[in-house]
Amino acid sequence: SGRVDLAAAFARLEAHGLERLLVEGGGELIFSLFAADLVDRLTVYVGSVVIGGRDAPTLADGEGFTDPDSFPELSLTDVERLDDGVVLTYDA
C-alpha cells in the first residue's frame, strides 16, 4: 500500500529493546499514530505567532477523526512556560 505498518514497526523496535521513541512528524504521521493507538504522550508548543488559514496543516491531518467515540482522550499533565509560549504535555 506504500505505507509503513506503524504497529509492526513499533513492535519490532520494542523487540530490539527500544522502550521510548520520540516522533516528530507532520499532521499525517501524528494522525496515523493516534489512529493506531501508539501514542502515550503528546507534547505541544504553543507560541506567540499565529499561523494558519483554511488550508493550513493541523496537528492531526490525515483522514481525521470524525466520530466523537474515536477522538483520542488526553490528560494534561504539565504546563511549562518557554519564551513567549508554553509547552503543554498530555498523557494519552
Side-chain angles (χ1 to χ4, degrees):
S1 68
R3 298 181 65 94
V4 172
D5 180 338
L6 294 171
F10 278 39
R12 191 160 183 185
L13 290 169
E14 185 178 31
H16 286 281
L18 189 66
E19 296 179 10
R20 296 180 58 129
L21 180 67
L22 168 71
V23 178
E24 291 184 298
E28 180 111 13
L29 177 58
I30 293 170
F31 166 78
S32 297
L33 292 168
F34 271 110
D37 197 29
L38 294 171
V39 177
D40 60 6
R41 177 172 290 154
L42 174 68
T43 303
V44 179
Y45 176 77
V46 180
S48 59
V49 175
V50 177
I51 301 171
R54 183 170 290 117
D55 297 322
T58 65
L59 176 66
D61 286 331
E63 295 176 28
F65 299 104
T66 56
D67 177 11
D69 290 335
S70 70
F71 293 170
E73 293 189 24
L74 303 171
S75 175
L76 183 65
T77 58
D78 191 40
V79 178
E80 177 185 348
R81 185 180 178 107
L82 183 62
D83 297 323
D84 272 349
V86 293
V87 177
L88 306 172
T89 302
Y90 296 89
D91 283 346

